Amino acid sequence: MSEIMHPQSAVHNTQALIAMIREHYQSEDFIPLHAPCLGQPEKQTLNTCIDSTFVSSVGQFVTELEQRFIDYTGARHAVAVVNGTMGLFLALKVAGVESDDLVLTQSLSFVATANAIKMLQADPLFLDVDSMSYGLSADTLENFLNEQACQKDGMCVHKQTGKVIRACVPMHTLGFVAEMDRIVEICQRHGIKVIEDAAESLGSFYQGQHSGTFGEMGVFSFNGNKILTTGGGGMLVTDDAELASHAKHLSTTAKIPHAWLFEHDEIGYNLRMPNLNAALGVAQFDRLPGFLQEKATLAASYRHFLSQQSDLTMMQGLASAQPNYWLNGLILPDQASRDVFLQQANEAGIQTRPLWTPMHQLEIYRDCLRCELPQTEWLAERVVNLPSGVKCHG
């Protein structure tokens, strides 16, 4: 275990890092964690959308954004939705997750991952994360399934409760991709569907393949603090034409196509991304390569700077992965040092934040099944996110 950082060391390291961040952003004003970069290209595309009058869930920009996503990620199909949370809900729904099912996922995640599972009245079962990828641990997953699950009537069943383990949702933490080849292979062996929570990982690759394209489906987020934003929005991707068609059908109230009749053949949902949001995303897509390059440069600067400081290291991810560096993660020696750093940085006008409170520590999920979670708790006590946005010039 790391020793507690001496207060004077904490002050020195924080002040040095604050100076480095201000020099990078060339600003003495408040520096946010990750502000969107919006300017004339976005305004022009939005005006085109407004002039077309197609501002809701039908329009050229929704289709164009889906195609841009297909071309970029290598997925065969893409379905634009209102946000990442509802994208996960749709993916779980079309994957066959039902009430009382169990869905394996990680406790170290934004709450949307678990919330999407609960929307279907299924239950998350929390597994630990890996010390190198920061996403779902393949070792923990394999050990859990070998020891606590069995096959019954062609389904994977949890021995203790008798519930079906229907799906597994690894989340690519801060844009660092989980060990997806192993996770997919393990789940396939046990008959479990894999749905990637790729909300934070647009532009991240593992072994040369884009995140979100390893499992049956992957879901991305375009919230205002993501690398590419549509204000609110998300994208479900898959190589399975039937799953894509079903997801799109459900996202458009399950309406049977007809020139004027309104007939619906399933309980559907109004979850299609509006054309106005998609227009913003299309303009943002042109900027994506530049965003990713600037973020990689900033991450390298952080690593170089912190290599000269004591007691501070950066999250780096697997050697076989290329993260998008959505949010840079600083690892401090312990929780006390983390809290000192957070207070000093934020008081100095540098927005920093800890990782999310692990799901199993939230009152709403305390009673969910879980394994031992030592790495989850270790990271949650020590990691601070540093400003990671691009310098936007319009």
Side-chain angles (χ1 to χ4, degrees), residues 230-309:
T230 60
M235 190 72 72
L236 182 157
V237 301
T238 181
D239 284 344
D240 188 310
E242 186 175 342
L243 290 175
S245 177
H246 194 194
K248 184 176 180 180
H249 185 58
L250 290 181
S251 76
T252 52
T253 68
K255 181 180 181 295
I256 300 171
H258 193 279
W260 57 82
L261 291 179
F262 282 82
E263 294 186 350
H264 310 261
D265 58 2
E266 290 185 75
I267 302 297
Y269 313 93
N270 187 13
L271 300 179
R272 188 80 166 141
M273 179 187 287
N275 199 42
L276 199 62
N277 295 84
L280 189 62
V282 167
Q284 286 268 287
F285 230 109
D286 292 330
R287 296 177 181 251
L288 183 60
F291 288 169
L292 291 169
Q293 181 57 56
E294 185 173 338
K295 291 171 76 62
T297 299
L298 174 58
S301 296
Y302 275 135
R303 288 196 302 272
H304 175 73
F305 179 83
L306 291 171
S307 68
Q308 305 170 51
Q309 308 295 316

Side-chain angles (χ1 to χ4, degrees), residues 13 32 50 88 131 181 229 271 274 286 298 353 374:
N13 287 331
I50 291 168
L88 283 173
S131 62
D181 53 346
T229 185
L271 300 179
D286 292 330
L298 174 58
R353 73 176 195 195

Side-chain angles (χ1 to χ4, degrees), residues 162-175:
K163 293 184 176 184
V164 174
I165 302 173
R166 192 79 63 180
C168 176
V169 184
M171 195 276 281
H172 303 311
T173 307
L174 307 181

Side-chain angles (χ1 to χ4, degrees), residues 16 27 54 95 107 179 196 199 205 238 250 255 272 282 294-295 329 331 345 348-349 364 367:
S27 173
F54 287 90
S107 179
E179 198 176 5
E196 294 172 67
F205 293 80
T238 181
L250 290 181
K255 181 180 181 295
R272 188 80 166 141
V282 167
E294 185 173 338
K295 291 171 76 62
I331 304 175
I364 53 176
D367 294 333

Side-chain angles (χ1 to χ4, degrees), residues 182-253:
R182 288 191 60 205
I183 290 172
V184 168
E185 188 276 326
I186 292 165
C187 287
Q188 285 178 342
R189 247 192 291 134
H190 291 268
I192 297 171
K193 302 286 183 65
V194 176
I195 297 164
E196 294 172 67
D197 184 344
E200 302 167 358
S201 64
L202 176 59
S204 297
F205 293 80
Y206 175 69
Q207 296 181 349
Q209 183 174 336
H210 199 286
S211 67
T213 65
F214 292 86
E216 275 79 9
M217 287 167 279
V219 179
F220 297 82
S221 169
F222 306 138
N223 188 34
N225 66 352
K226 297 300 190 295
I227 288 180
L228 182 155
T229 185
T230 60
M235 190 72 72
L236 182 157
V237 301
T238 181
D239 284 344
D240 188 310
E242 186 175 342
L243 290 175
S245 177
H246 194 194
K248 184 176 180 180
H249 185 58
L250 290 181
S251 76
T252 52
T253 68

Side-chain angles (χ1 to χ4, degrees), residues 86-165:
M86 298 314 299
L88 283 173
F89 164 80
L90 269 183
L92 290 162
K93 176 76 174 178
V94 301
V97 173
E98 300 176 351
S99 174
D100 259 0
D101 282 348
L102 294 177
V103 177
L104 307 178
T105 191
Q106 59 204 66
S107 179
L108 190 68
S109 182
F110 181 56
V111 72
T113 312
N115 285 352
I117 296 167
K118 290 297 289 185
M119 285 179 193
L120 289 160
Q121 298 183 318
D123 289 309
L125 191 158
F126 298 121
L127 303 181
D128 206 6
V129 293
D130 180 73
S131 62
M132 296 299 294
S133 73
Y134 318 113
L136 188 70
S137 166
D139 288 339
T140 299
L141 173 65
E142 183 154 37
N143 291 337
F144 169 81
L145 290 172
N146 287 341
E147 296 170 4
Q148 300 192 40
C150 63
Q151 291 294 310
K152 184 177 181 180
D153 299 327
M155 295 179 289
C156 185
V157 174
H158 184 230
K159 292 178 182 178
Q160 178 185 339
T161 63
K163 293 184 176 184
V164 174
I165 302 173

